């Protein structure tokens, strides 16, 4: 787990870092539906603290060495302070997601996967290719619901066995931000995280 987190930080995958942090907060404070208020309160306190501290803290970061990290954090700051129009990466993601939604609306039954031409990028064919769930709807139309139903069923069984919502939370949220149906993401969600959880629970039982 430490190696994986260090790799994420070293690679400056800012979305993954933020979601890992949020997932950790959920894992620590979420116990049942009554604890949603507690989780929301913690998120609000963290957001307020970030908005208050970031302008001073960012001045001490080397912009040459950590330019990409600062760019992503600037976008988070702009979004939290109501200036989301300045967040170019988030706006780009939003536009790509909008493209997939529009493609689905125009091809609701079967989607456009059967029409795709291999030597053309999917962006040119109406798929944003940056958010798994709307992209799947654009690709497969209403038949994507079968895929979602299967994934939700697996995640539900995983939650029952592991007694934790963290993998489900991270998997679903990431699906609105990135492509998800690839080996690293799936193996992390359905194998590595449950195995880690099992190890922790066994150690607690001892």
């Amino acid at each position: 787990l430490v190696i994986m987190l260090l790799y994420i930080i070293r690679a400056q995958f800012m979305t993954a870092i933020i979601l890992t942090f949020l997932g950790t907060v959920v894992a620590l404070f979420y116990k049942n539906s009554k604890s949603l208020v507690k989780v929301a309160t913690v998120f609000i306190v963290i957001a307020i603290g970030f908005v208050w501290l970031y302008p001073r803290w960012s001045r001490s970061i080397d912009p040459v060495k950590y330019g990409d990290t600062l760019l992503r954090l600037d976008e988070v700051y702009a979004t939290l302070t109501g200036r989301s129009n300045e967040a170019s990466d988030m706006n780009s993601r939003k536009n790509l997601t909008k493209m997939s939604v529009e493609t689905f609306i125009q091809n609701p039954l079967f989607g456009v996967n059967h029409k795709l031409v291999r030597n053309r990028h999917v962006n040119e064919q109406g798929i944003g290719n940056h958010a798994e769930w709307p992209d799947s709807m654009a690709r497969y139309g209403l038949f994507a619901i079968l895929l979602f139903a299967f994934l939700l069923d697996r995640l539900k069984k995983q939650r029952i066995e592991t007694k934790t919502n963290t993998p489900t939370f991270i998997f679903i949220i990431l699906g609105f931000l990135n492509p998800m149906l690839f080996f690293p993401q799936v193996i992390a969600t359905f194998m590595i995280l449950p195995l880690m959880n099992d190890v922790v629970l066994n150690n607690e039982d001892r």
Side-chain angles (χ1 to χ4, degrees):
L1 176 60
V2 171
I3 292 172
M4 183 173 68
L5 290 177
L6 287 175
Y7 173 76
I8 288 173
I9 294 171
R10 176 66 183 84
Q12 299 185 41
F13 294 151
M14 189 52 60
T15 303
I17 293 171
I18 293 171
L19 283 172
T20 300
F21 176 73
L22 295 179
T24 302
V25 171
V26 172
L28 289 174
F29 293 96
Y30 183 86
K31 305 300 178 185
N32 49 54
S33 57
K34 294 180 181 178
S35 60
L36 283 174
V37 175
K38 186 187 296 184
V39 173
T41 302
V42 173
F43 282 158
I44 291 170
V45 170
I46 292 171
I48 292 172
F50 176 80
V51 169
W52 183 54
L53 293 172
Y54 180 67
R56 309 171 197 175
W57 176 65
S58 61
R59 295 192 199 107
S60 63
I61 301 176
D62 183 354
V64 176
K65 191 174 182 180
Y66 300 104
D68 186 59
T69 299
L70 276 174
L71 176 64
R72 299 301 178 91
L73 289 174
D74 284 345
E75 295 205 342
V76 174
Y77 180 77
T79 301
L80 290 175
T81 53
R83 296 179 290 113
S84 58
N85 59 306
E86 299 176 15
S88 58
D89 183 64
M90 291 186 181
N91 285 328
S92 175
R93 289 171 181 266
K94 182 171 68 176
N95 291 335
L96 291 172
T97 299
K98 182 181 176 183
M99 179 195 299
S100 290
V101 171
E102 290 175 349
T103 299
F104 166 69
I105 292 173
Q106 295 166 7
N107 304 269
L109 188 56
F110 298 110
V112 297
N113 195 63
H114 61 288
K115 302 177 184 177
L116 296 182
V117 180
R118 288 190 177 183
N119 58 358
R120 290 180 60 199
H121 195 279
V122 291
N123 284 167
E124 301 172 13
Q125 302 178 73
I127 298 176
N129 201 39
H130 222 321
E132 188 63 56
W133 314 137
D135 288 350
S136 294
M137 296 293 287
R139 282 181 177 275
Y140 311 119
L142 290 174
F143 284 90
I145 295 174
L146 299 175
L147 171 64
F148 300 156
F150 171 77
L151 290 172
L152 288 173
D153 180 65
R154 297 299 96 189
L155 289 168
K156 179 181 178 182
K157 290 184 177 181
Q158 184 193 79
R159 290 199 306 275
I160 294 171
E161 292 175 3
T162 61
K163 298 180 176 60
T164 177
N165 294 284
T166 306
T168 298
F169 171 81
I170 294 176
F171 189 77
I172 291 176
I173 295 299
L174 271 176
F176 287 104
L177 302 171
N178 288 294
M180 287 299 295
L181 301 182
F182 293 96
F183 182 78
Q185 295 91 318
V186 172
I187 203 72
T189 303
F190 293 101
M191 180 177 168
I192 296 174
L193 290 176
L195 284 175
M196 287 166 47
N197 182 77
D198 194 45
V199 170
V200 171
L201 290 178
N202 286 336
N203 287 337
E204 288 178 352
D205 291 340
R206 292 175 189 173

